[in-house]
């Protein structure tokens, strides 16, 4: 049937699917022949759809199903075929039984913290410029509310008698913002003074066994103008968490100012419940299947030999990072999206293909592995929790044989969907399995990261009655040789390349950004062209 004619759901399954899509996509009326990706869906929203379908139907609908059956009519067919057997459910644990385990991701950060105590590499700072009269008492009360709601913000990471890490949840503590004043400094120097305080605080380490992995600093520049710095440790936070933090902070601050109760949904489980559930899940056949998939996919994966400007130090230790910003115009972005949806792929997959072509040309290799973060929240119960859920997938693509770009996109799509189906294996377990004797001068399994920012509520820091804008606090260490982060803003693509200054000169990375943008335009103009025909210069 024609996609532009509306057909109503015919049964309860289609009813549930269209309802879930409506919620996730923010579209009121969805017909059973409407295509999820043409309505603005992408892989992150697809994950939310599968987790909500699991909640509503009690079924594990694989993410791949949404790509292969992207309409409610076809997806309901898949649902009918699925068995109703589901994995262990995520439920609150009995907390009386002593210390709780860490999730695998937390365990890795704990281990890194033992190796290099006091490293600033895994701090997550948010700098905000707040104009207007800020009520610091209400701000403290709002953060105290967050700490009360989210156990992870009052968790201590300790070592048990056998030297293994465990987590202990403490009673809520009250957050008092540390207020500093630069109004005594001559007017011309105030901004600089404020930013220096922020940069220093954004790098001040946390003690993981202290139980307070959240700090709030306020730097007053004028009576109605201040900076607010929120710093968390990554062991209790990730990119998705920042959206939750911003949303709940807004409501808790408004409630504190108005002297009312905050209205926030009840949290049915907490992060420690997830950590215990994850460990229970990852065992036996399930673990074996996941490991087998990745063993096969990543067998003999070569290191990416990026031509560096400086020789690689023997140990990759707190490397300074710098960033180069660039953009891809909206008409190119739109053409890439259209090419992708023609292949049943997402814009993420098209951009990853481009990045892998650029890397292949720079490295003169045609077997390219790139890391990419995935939200790791494929259970609906975890959608509203602050915590460290994000996992890293290794996407390895074979670019040999001079394929057409559209053919390469098919390969990348296949790789990505396979990875999504096997995303439950934490990256940490993969490294233990595949790279036990690892080279300390580089990251295991991949050296470059590609991040496509489409997390919900990415830019929504706001406080009632105040003007809030996010500001960079600088001085973050580079975790990878090279990282490309892209996000859509008003139709065009805004991108940033972060690189290690001990390996690359800025001019080299600026040139690479130019090459990426040129290649994107070349593909947009001729998506059927072979890789050798695409222009990068």
């Amino acid at each position: 049937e024609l996609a532009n004619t509306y057909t109503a759901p015919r049964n309860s399954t289609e009813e549930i699917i269209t309802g879930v899509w409506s919620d996730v996509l923010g579209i009121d009326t969805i017909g059973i022949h409407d295509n999820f990706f043409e309505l603005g869906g992408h892989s992150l929203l697809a994950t939310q759809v599968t987790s909500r379908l699991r909640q509503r139907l009690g079924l594990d609908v694989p993410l791949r199903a949404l790509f292969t059956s992207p309409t409610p009519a076809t997806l309901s067919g898949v649902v009918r075929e699925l068995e109703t057997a589901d994995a262990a459910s995520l439920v609150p644990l009995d907390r009386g039984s002593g210390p709780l385990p860490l999730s695998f991701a937390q365990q890795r950060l704990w281990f890194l913290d033992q190796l290099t105590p006091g490293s600033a590499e895994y701090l997550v700072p948010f700098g905000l410029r707040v104009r207007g009269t800020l009520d610091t008492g209400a701000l403290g009360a709002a953060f105290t509310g967050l700490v009360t709601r989210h156990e992870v913000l009052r968790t201590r990471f300790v070592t048990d008698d056998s030297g293994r890490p465990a987590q202990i949840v403490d009673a809520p503590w009250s957050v008092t913002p540390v207020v500093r004043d630069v109004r005594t400094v001559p007017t011309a120097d105030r901004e600089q003074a404020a930013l220096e305080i922020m940069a220093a605080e954004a790098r001040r380490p946390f003690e993981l066994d202290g139980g307070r992995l959240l700090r709030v600093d306020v730097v007053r520049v004028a009576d109605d103008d201040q900076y607010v710095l929120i710093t968390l440790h990554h062991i209790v936070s990730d990119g998705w968490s920042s959206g939750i933090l911003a949303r709940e902070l807004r409501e808790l601050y408004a409630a504190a100012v108005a002297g009312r109760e905050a209205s926030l949904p009840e949290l049915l489980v907490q992060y420690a419940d997830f950590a215990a559930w994850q460990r229970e899940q990852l065992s036996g056949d399930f673990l074996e299947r996941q490991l087998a998939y990745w063993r096969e996919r990543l067998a003999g994966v070569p290191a990416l030999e990026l031509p560096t400007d400086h020789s690689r130090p023997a140990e990759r230790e707190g490397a300074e990072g710098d960033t180069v910003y660039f953009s891809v115009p909206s008409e190119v972005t739109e053409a890439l999206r259209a090419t992708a949806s023609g292949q049943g792929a997402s814009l993420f997959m098209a951009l990853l293909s481009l990045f892998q072509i650029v890397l292949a040309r720079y490295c003169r290799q045609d077997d390219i592995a790139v890391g990419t973060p995935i939200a790791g929240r494929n259970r609906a119960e975890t959608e509203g929790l602050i915590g460290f859920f994000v996992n890293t997938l290794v996407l390895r693509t074979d670019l040999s044989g001079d394929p057409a770009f559209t053919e390469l996109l098919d390969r990348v799509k296949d790789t990505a969907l396979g990875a999504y189906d096997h995303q439950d294996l934490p990256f940490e377990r993969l490294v233990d399995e595949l790279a036990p004797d690892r080279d300390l001068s580089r990251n295991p399994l991949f050296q470059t990261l590609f991040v496509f920012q489409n997390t919900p509520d990415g830019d929504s820091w706001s406080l009632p009655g105040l003007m809030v804008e996010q500001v960079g606090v600088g001085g973050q260490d580079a975790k990878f040789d090279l990282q490309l982060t892209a996000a859509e803003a008003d139709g065009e693509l805004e991108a940033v390349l972060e690189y290690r200054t001990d390996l690359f000169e800025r001019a080299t990375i600026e040139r690479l950004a130019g090459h990426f943008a040129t290649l994107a335009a070349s593909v947009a103009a001729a998506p059927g062209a072979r890789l050798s025909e695409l222009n990068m210069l």
Side-chain angles (χ1 to χ4, degrees):
E1 291 191 38
L2 290 175
N4 56 9
T5 56
Y6 168 74
T7 312
R10 298 164 298 193
N11 53 44
S12 65
T13 306
E14 290 178 349
E15 191 86 50
I16 287 170
I17 292 171
T18 54
V20 166
W21 287 17
S22 281
D23 289 348
V24 169
L25 295 168
I27 298 171
D28 292 339
T29 316
I30 290 177
I32 59 169
H33 300 299
D34 289 346
N35 183 305
F36 181 73
F37 298 96
E38 286 166 13
L39 295 173
H42 48 67
S43 46
L44 191 70
L45 291 175
T47 302
Q48 281 187 274
V49 166
T50 58
S51 70
R52 291 179 189 201
L53 288 177
R54 179 190 288 111
Q55 205 180 32
R56 301 281 303 276
L57 299 165
L59 278 184
D60 262 318
V61 180
L63 199 55
R64 180 187 281 273
L66 202 51
F67 281 86
T68 52
S69 310
T71 68
T74 52
L75 191 60
S76 72
V78 174
V79 167
R80 276 197 298 278
E81 287 166 28
L82 285 169
E83 296 299 323
T84 39
D86 193 19
S89 58
L90 178 47
V91 291
L93 292 172
D94 167 29
R95 295 310 170 80
S97 52
L100 300 155
L102 275 59
S103 68
F104 290 104
Q106 285 183 323
Q107 188 170 315
R108 176 173 57 116
L109 288 197
W110 176 85
F111 175 68
L112 291 171
D113 192 72
Q114 303 287 309
L115 275 181
T116 52
S119 151
E121 189 170 2
Y122 289 98
L123 297 183
V124 184
F126 299 100
L128 307 174
R129 181 71 178 266
V130 180
R131 293 184 172 85
T133 310
L134 178 69
D135 180 339
T136 50
L139 188 66
F143 277 103
T144 303
L146 279 166
V147 166
T148 306
R149 262 177 81 70
H150 296 274
E151 283 183 358
V152 76
L153 298 178
R154 46 188 164 96
T155 296
R156 275 180 295 139
F157 297 88
V158 298
T159 310
D160 68 14
D161 303 335
S162 57
R164 282 195 305 259
Q167 49 183 319
I168 296 173
V169 177
D170 289 333
W173 51 283
S174 102
V175 183
T176 312
V178 176
V179 182
R180 295 183 178 75
D181 209 322
V182 294
R183 286 178 294 188
T184 50
V185 178
T187 316
D189 305 332
R190 278 180 202 169
E191 285 294 316
Q192 191 53 37
L195 291 171
E196 278 168 17
I197 291 172
M198 302 255 289
E201 276 305 307
R203 295 187 70 81
R204 187 161 64 81
F206 285 107
E207 300 285 329
L208 291 188
D209 55 7
R212 301 189 170 194
L213 301 179
L214 161 74
R215 285 198 297 266
V216 185
D217 293 275
V218 176
V219 185
R220 291 199 181 285
V221 186
D223 295 348
D224 57 357
D225 189 3
Q226 52 269 307
Y227 285 99
V228 175
L229 176 69
I230 303 158
T231 313
L232 296 131
H233 194 286
H234 203 345
I235 204 167
V236 299
S237 177
D238 60 13
W240 182 301
S241 299
S242 63
I244 298 169
L245 190 68
R247 198 165 58 236
E248 296 197 352
L249 181 64
R250 183 163 60 231
E251 167 60 16
L252 287 160
Y253 179 83
V257 169
R260 61 172 172 82
E261 282 288 298
S263 80
L264 290 170
E266 189 192 349
L267 300 175
L268 301 175
V269 293
Q270 291 281 347
Y271 188 85
D273 302 316
F274 163 78
W277 172 83
Q278 182 190 50
R279 288 188 174 268
E280 188 190 344
Q281 283 288 101
L282 279 170
S283 56
D285 288 353
F286 180 76
L287 176 63
E288 227 4 88
R289 278 200 310 276
Q290 295 262 338
L291 277 171
Y293 171 83
W294 288 108
R295 260 190 225 113
E296 184 196 350
R297 284 297 311 183
L298 301 178
V301 64
L304 199 60
E305 299 295 347
L306 277 166
T308 56
D309 298 313
H310 307 286
S311 57
R312 188 179 288 278
E315 290 211 6
R316 190 195 68 88
E317 181 45 59
E320 287 284 304
D322 199 6
T323 46
V324 167
Y325 291 85
F326 68 102
S327 62
V328 173
S330 50
E331 58 276 15
V332 173
T333 306
E334 209 28 71
L336 290 172
R337 188 203 309 282
T339 297
S341 67
Q343 306 285 116
S346 61
L347 181 59
F348 163 82
M349 295 168 186
L351 297 171
L352 175 61
S353 305
L354 289 172
F355 191 38
Q356 290 185 315
I357 295 169
V358 173
L359 294 172
R361 292 193 180 180
Y362 267 75
C363 303
R364 299 199 159 86
Q365 292 169 245
D366 54 19
D367 180 355
I368 304 287
V370 170
T372 191
I374 188 158
R377 293 171 184 259
N378 45 9
R379 307 285 307 190
E381 302 92 327
T382 59
E383 278 185 23
L385 294 178
I386 291 174
F388 185 20
F389 293 90
V390 68
N391 192 16
T392 307
L393 301 178
V394 186
L395 301 181
R396 179 186 188 180
T397 305
D398 168 10
L399 291 92
S400 64
D402 196 24
F405 178 79
T406 44
E407 187 188 327
L408 175 69
L409 184 54
D410 278 340
R411 294 181 194 178
V412 168
K413 172 188 167 182
D414 207 52
T415 298
L417 292 178
Y420 294 154
D421 283 346
H422 298 86
Q423 63 171 292
D424 288 316
L425 186 74
F427 180 67
E428 296 68 42
R429 284 300 308 262
L430 199 54
V431 173
D432 291 344
E433 181 76 18
L434 298 178
D437 328 316
R438 50 185 182 270
D439 165 1
L440 291 176
S441 70
R442 55 177 89 220
N443 258 70
L445 303 181
F446 66 90
Q447 291 73 50
T448 61
L449 191 74
F450 174 52
V451 185
F452 188 50
Q453 291 282 12
N454 48 15
T455 46
D457 276 357
D459 54 354
S460 61
W461 292 97
S462 68
L463 292 168
L466 298 163
M467 263 185 63
V468 180
E469 59 174 321
Q470 200 168 347
V471 292
V473 281
Q476 290 298 285
D477 292 341
K479 295 187 183 65
F480 305 96
D481 293 0
L482 187 65
Q483 172 175 335
L484 172 64
T485 304
E488 277 188 275
D490 307 324
E492 70 170 21
L493 205 65
E494 290 185 353
V496 53
L497 281 163
E498 188 179 342
Y499 63 96
R500 280 174 53 176
T501 54
D502 63 346
L503 296 179
F504 300 104
E505 291 294 322
R506 187 176 181 85
T508 303
I509 303 302
E510 287 175 338
R511 201 158 53 239
L512 191 144
H515 288 155
F516 184 94
T518 307
L519 181 68
S522 181
V523 166
R530 296 197 172 275
L531 301 193
S532 59
E533 301 162 347
L534 292 170
N535 195 6
M536 189 169 90
L537 302 175

